[in-house]
Amino acid sequence: HNVQIDITVHSDLLQLRDDWQALQSIGLATLYQTYEWCSAWYETIGLAQGITAQIVVGREADGKVAFIVPLAIKRYGSYRIVEWLGARIATYGLGVYDPSFLAKSPQGLAPYWKTILAMFQGADGIWLNHLPEEWDGQPHPLSSLITTRSANQTHQITLKPDYTELFASKRSASSRRGALKRDKQLNAAGQVTFGQPANDAQAERLIDELIE
């Protein structure tokens, strides 16, 4: 039997903050669907691009949040497409799910997908990319929608107490000698610092040098 779920869609992220953060602290999630990431991206980039947040929230009969799926509507020409919130930089599309809900719903969101789609009657299409087949050993709750393969863009490394030790663990002796020689030549050429251009004139000079 399917779990009874009440599904709503929200455009106000702040209104969902407490429930969202509580769910992500105990649930199945990736960085790209956390409240902090989604709200920061939406406030700085999404709104400026005219994107409308469409956060799908599923609650059980007792009001407990079962899942949060951060979606958005973006215009492509004359078409309105539903996609992941922050889709262009989010390399994993998953959502946030309560483990107890997933245990009771082995098919994930498949039984509720038609209801979710009905919430987007005004949209011309839906495109959800970068769906990992599984996450933390759990099959993707939207696995029935996976139709194409995408690259695994995970980069993982075990940090060391200091950078020198970390560098040595990842590079061969010859590579380290080459890097040391390069750094000595760079330091001999003058003082090396890192920072941002202080004004437009400096920025233009850096761009000219880069192009040259």
Side-chain angles (χ1 to χ4, degrees):
H1 299 286
N2 297 331
V3 182
Q4 182 180 343
I5 295 292
D6 177 44
I7 297 173
T8 54
V9 176
H10 307 259
S11 58
D12 186 347
L13 277 68
L14 182 60
Q15 187 181 44
L16 300 171
R17 181 181 61 187
D18 292 345
D19 284 339
W20 197 329
Q21 291 179 329
L23 182 61
Q24 73 191 34
S25 69
I26 56 96
L28 184 73
T30 79
L31 165 69
Y32 298 111
Q33 283 83 54
T34 58
Y35 173 81
E36 291 80 6
W37 178 278
C38 288
S39 59
W41 181 89
Y42 188 54
E43 291 169 8
T44 57
I45 300 176
L47 289 172
Q49 293 184 350
I51 293 172
T52 303
Q54 298 284 270
I55 314 301
V56 178
V57 180
R59 295 181 184 273
E60 298 190 35
D62 60 1
K64 181 181 179 182
V65 179
F67 57 82
I68 293 177
V69 183
L71 303 180
I73 291 181
K74 181 178 180 180
R75 284 192 173 275
Y76 291 87
S78 59
Y79 296 99
R80 300 172 73 247
I81 304 299
V82 179
E83 61 184 23
W84 293 110
L85 188 68
R88 300 198 68 175
I89 58 173
T91 52
Y92 292 103
L94 184 72
V96 189
Y97 304 87
D98 187 310
S100 65
F101 162 73
L102 294 177
K104 293 180 288 187
S105 181
Q107 292 181 286
L109 295 189
Y112 315 100
W113 189 240
K114 286 185 178 180
T115 302
I116 292 173
L117 287 182
M119 302 285 180
F120 300 102
Q121 291 290 347
D124 298 295
I126 184 165
W127 177 47
L128 301 182
N129 61 335
H130 297 309
L131 277 66
E133 189 174 3
E134 64 176 46
W135 195 262
D136 283 345
Q138 170 71 46
H140 198 302
L142 289 170
S143 59
S144 61
L145 299 182
I146 298 177
T147 56
T148 58
R149 297 179 64 185
S150 62
N152 183 344
Q153 301 185 52
T154 299
H155 299 276
Q156 188 177 56
I157 189 171
T158 300
L159 296 178
K160 303 292 184 180
D162 62 76
Y163 177 75
T164 302
E165 186 179 349
L166 175 65
F167 188 68
S169 71
K170 304 303 292 184
R171 298 289 183 177
S172 66
S174 61
S175 175
R176 298 199 303 275
R177 285 193 297 269
L180 182 61
K181 181 180 179 181
R182 178 204 60 205
D183 291 347
K184 285 182 177 179
Q185 292 174 339
L186 189 60
N187 288 326
Q191 184 180 7
V192 178
T193 59
F194 297 90
Q196 297 287 343
N199 49 53
D200 290 344
Q202 286 187 11
E204 291 176 1
R205 177 186 170 190
L206 288 173
I207 292 171
D208 287 342
E209 291 181 358
L210 176 64
I211 293 174
E212 183 179 351

